[in-house]
């Protein structure tokens, strides 16, 4: 058997299409995974569905096992919040805003051990109608065992994994307001150029009210977002000012403290007192001068000095 015989057949083959409507209906798409082998084959195929936007789409089931000769269906639902966002983009820019969607899906498939697959199907059959806490716990453990199998297959070199990539398309269902504007762009003609209110039919009045309602919702959304951004900028500005004031205060405190230390050091070095070496130097000079004067006999004038003369008389 060739390797490609082990890859699941995915339908649709290239793209998943989601139809967006303005009513309360959910935008969904159904994917079918078919085992290419016959029922007599003993090769079971496991699958796993991934997407680049896991918060936008709900995939059920996102993993499972397909028996030989059978198929499984995967239901993919677009979240309502993202649906409304896409509809707003359509109202502003038309279908061109949805034609270049970057959303993608990846379907992975690989062969799985028949013993594990049969045990998986047996437990799944038992848990289909069991909604008790024990049944929910067992179903969770069953899903975890399948996840562990995929982790082992991804890390092993002997298991071949096949990948199938699918694009995403979003199509908007035409509404009565869109019927008068096939290109999907909103009408921007002034009110004076339109039919007066008295001459409007109920359908025209409904379309006009719907158009105004959409514009009003867009304006409210824009105003709310603008106010939120303004508040964020104001808070950021105030925080920046506080941080700047703290930094300036730290710099001033540091500068004043450094100057005080430098002044104390300079005072100690210059005017704080006479060093020992300086004192000894001057004492030596005075001693030599006094000795020379004594030799020359010219120390009589020192006897007239107030303090020094008294000391000299005491010694004499």
């Amino acid at each position: 058997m060739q390797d490609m015989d082990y890859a699941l057949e995915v339908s649709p083959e290239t793209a998943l299409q989601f139809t967006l409507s303005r009513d309360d209906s959910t935008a969904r798409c159904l994917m079918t995974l078919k085992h290419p082998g016959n029922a007599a084959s003993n090769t079971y195929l496991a699958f796993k569905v991934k997407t680049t936007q896991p918060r936008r789409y709900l995939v059920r089931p996102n993993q499972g096992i397909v028996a030989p000769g059978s198929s499984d269906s995967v239901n993919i639902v677009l979240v309502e919040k993202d649906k409304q966002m896409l509809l707003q983009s359509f109202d502003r820019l038309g279908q061109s805003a949805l034609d270049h969607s970057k959303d993608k899906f990846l379907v992975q498939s690989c062969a799985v051990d028949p013993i594990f697959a049969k045990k998986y199907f047996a437990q799944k059959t038992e848990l289909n109608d069991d909604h008790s806490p024990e049944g929910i716990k067992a179903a969770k453990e069953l899903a975890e065992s399948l996840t562990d199998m995929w982790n082992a297959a991804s890390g092993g070199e002997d298991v071949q994994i096949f990948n199938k990539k699918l694009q995403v398309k979003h199509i908007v269902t035409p509404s009565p307001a869109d019927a008068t504007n096939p290109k999907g762009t909103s009408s921007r003609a002034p009110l004076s150029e339109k039919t007066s209110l008295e001459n409007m039919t109920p359908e025209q009045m409904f379309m006009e009210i719907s158009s105004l309602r959409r514009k009003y919702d867009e304006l409210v959304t824009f105003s709310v977002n603008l106010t939120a951004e303004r508040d964020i900028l104001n808070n950021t500005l105030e925080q920046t000012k506080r941080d700047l004031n703290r930094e300036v205060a730290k710099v001033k405190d540091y500068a004043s403290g450094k100057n005080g230390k430098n002044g104390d050091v300079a005072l100690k070095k210059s005017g704080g007192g006479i060093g020992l070496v300086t004192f000894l130097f001057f004492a030596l000079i005075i001693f030599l001068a006094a000795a020379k004067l004594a030799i020359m006999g010219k120390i009589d004038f020192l006897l007239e000095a107030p303090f020094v003369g008294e000391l000299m008389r005491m010694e004499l």
Side-chain angles (χ1 to χ4, degrees):
M1 183 178 292
Q2 298 178 354
D3 290 341
M4 288 303 296
D5 292 336
Y6 290 96
L8 287 172
E9 296 178 356
V10 182
S11 178
E13 295 182 358
T14 58
L16 300 175
Q17 179 172 309
F18 293 86
T19 302
L20 312 179
S21 59
R22 301 186 186 279
D23 53 17
D24 296 334
S25 61
T26 303
R28 64 179 69 243
C29 182
L30 188 65
M31 179 194 302
T32 304
L33 306 177
K34 182 180 179 182
H35 195 301
N38 52 42
S41 174
N42 197 32
T43 302
Y44 291 80
L45 297 179
F47 70 88
K48 190 173 186 179
V49 181
K50 299 180 180 180
T51 177
T52 57
Q53 295 287 349
R55 295 184 179 182
R56 174 174 289 186
Y57 301 97
L58 301 178
V59 183
R60 295 293 181 271
N62 62 343
Q63 60 181 359
I65 298 178
V66 183
S70 63
S71 61
D72 200 351
S73 297
V74 178
N75 190 24
I76 306 174
V77 177
L78 176 64
V79 176
E80 181 66 22
K81 181 182 68 174
D82 291 89
K83 170 190 168 183
Q84 296 299 329
M85 183 182 68
L86 293 173
L87 286 174
Q88 291 178 4
S89 299
F90 175 82
D91 292 337
R92 290 194 302 268
L93 304 174
Q95 184 60 39
S96 59
L98 309 180
D99 287 340
H100 304 287
S101 175
K102 296 182 180 180
D103 300 351
K104 293 181 178 62
F105 279 82
L106 175 66
V107 181
Q108 294 181 310
S109 60
C110 69
V112 66
D113 183 20
I115 298 177
F116 175 82
K118 292 177 181 179
K119 181 179 178 181
Y120 173 84
F121 280 114
Q123 293 181 357
K124 184 178 179 181
T125 302
E126 294 178 359
L127 297 174
N128 279 339
D129 299 329
D130 190 356
H131 301 290
S132 62
E134 292 78 8
I136 295 175
K137 182 179 179 181
K140 183 178 180 181
E141 293 176 353
L142 183 63
E144 290 177 352
S145 65
L146 191 57
T147 301
D148 294 338
M149 185 278 301
W150 268 109
N151 293 335
S154 301
E157 299 180 355
D158 55 342
V159 179
Q160 187 175 8
I161 298 178
F162 297 90
N163 298 321
K164 177 69 174 179
K165 296 181 180 180
L166 299 172
Q167 302 290 333
V168 174
K169 292 183 179 180
H170 300 108
I171 304 297
V172 178
T173 302
S175 63
D178 297 329
T180 59
N181 193 5
K183 294 184 179 181
T185 57
S186 59
S187 176
R188 302 182 183 274
L191 186 61
S192 59
E193 297 180 3
K194 298 180 180 180
T195 308
S196 62
L197 227 90
E198 293 79 3
N199 299 329
M200 278 186 178
T201 62
E203 294 180 356
Q204 292 175 334
M205 190 174 298
F206 174 77
M207 289 186 292
E208 184 66 23
I209 294 175
S210 300
S211 177
L212 293 175
R213 180 64 182 178
R214 286 197 303 271
K215 294 178 181 178
Y216 172 77
D217 292 340
E218 292 177 5
L219 183 61
V220 170
T221 303
F222 177 77
S223 301
V224 171
N225 293 335
L226 192 62
T227 303
E229 291 179 1
R230 182 202 63 188
D231 295 339
I232 293 174
L233 290 176
N234 288 337
N235 293 335
T236 304
L237 181 59
E238 293 297 330
Q239 183 64 34
T240 304
K241 288 182 178 179
R242 289 193 292 268
D243 295 341
L244 181 60
N245 292 334
R246 283 197 296 266
E247 293 298 327
V248 171
K250 289 181 180 178
V251 172
K252 289 182 178 179
D253 294 340
Y254 176 77
S256 61
K258 187 175 182 181
N259 292 337
K261 292 180 180 178
N262 292 338
D264 295 340
V265 172
L267 182 61
K268 290 179 180 178
K269 289 184 177 179
S270 59
I274 300 176
L276 179 62
V277 176
T278 304
F279 175 77
L280 294 176
F281 176 74
F282 282 106
L284 180 61
I285 291 176
I286 294 172
F287 174 76
L288 293 175
K292 186 175 181 180
L293 291 173
I295 294 172
M296 296 174 64
K298 296 181 178 181
I299 60 172
D300 296 338
F301 72 94
L302 293 176
L303 296 174
E304 304 298 332
F307 180 72
V308 177
E310 294 177 0
L311 292 177
M312 292 179 68
R313 290 192 187 94
M314 289 175 63
E315 291 179 357
L316 292 176

